[in-house]
Amino acid sequence: MAIHPDVIGDPERFMREALIDAALAGEAGEVPVGAVGIVNGQIVVRAGNRRERDRDPTGHAEMLVLRELSTLIGDWRLGEATVVVTLEPCPMCAGGLWASRIGGVVFGAYDGRAGANGSLYHLGADPRLNHEYPSRGGVLADECGELLTSFFRATR
């Protein structure tokens, strides 16, 4: 499956934007994960993790972006959108991406402990489900991973 055309040209540019939101989340005491929502080649929504601030277990950057995209587009079907996120989506987020019929996902660091877009599971490419979405991992993986490593090193 090919990645949605929104991010074929320069996924690194979008990932650098998501890294800004990840860094801001980290500065606020959140796990530093950031995401941007792309429609027609433009960033239309962005978010960093807000689980601690909002006291919300679903406050992952991807979920926040999906909610804002749905509001902006006026539909829960997000086939024309791509989500770019600094960490491989967890099962909850991959499920949300699947349920939204997202057009594609690009992520930075792989997550060997909870990744659901290739590491442990691949909910976006499971033919048993009624929707599959293209994904690409490893975009600026070192930068994304270092942000997380630095955060956890400083908090332990």
Side-chain angles (χ1 to χ4, degrees):
M1 241 185 297
I3 283 294
H4 195 275
D6 281 342
V7 293
I8 288 176
D10 191 3
E12 291 84 7
R13 175 174 69 98
F14 295 118
M15 188 61 71
R16 289 190 198 294
E17 291 295 322
L19 276 163
I20 292 169
D21 292 291
L24 291 170
E27 290 170 11
E30 301 282 352
V31 173
V33 176
V36 294
I38 314 297
V39 176
N40 296 324
Q42 300 294 318
I43 296 172
V44 296
V45 298
R46 54 191 318 141
N49 274 0
R50 290 198 325 239
R51 288 194 319 170
E52 300 298 331
R53 184 182 104 187
D54 295 350
R55 295 184 177 100
D56 178 1
T58 68
H60 291 199
E62 305 96 298
M63 299 298 283
L64 300 170
V65 163
L66 287 176
R67 289 180 196 138
E68 288 188 46
L69 280 170
S70 293
T71 298
L72 181 70
I73 291 170
D75 195 349
W76 62 268
R77 293 171 193 87
L78 303 176
E80 297 303 313
T82 300
V83 172
V84 178
V85 60
T86 58
L87 180 64
E88 180 181 3
C90 70
M92 174 185 67
C93 294
L97 292 159
W98 164 79
S100 75
R101 310 300 191 262
I102 198 72
V105 175
V106 174
F107 64 89
Y110 283 88
D111 184 354
R113 298 175 76 183
N117 268 117
S119 290
L120 294 179
Y121 312 100
H122 200 325
L123 292 180
D126 188 334
R128 297 171 296 177
L129 299 174
N130 65 344
H131 172 71
E132 293 181 61
Y133 58 84
S135 65
R136 175 180 172 189
V139 175
L140 300 181
D142 291 342
E143 291 177 47
C144 295
E146 179 55 34
L147 188 61
L148 289 158
T149 301
S150 296
F151 174 81
F152 287 115
R153 191 176 322 137
T155 60
R156 293 188 178 151

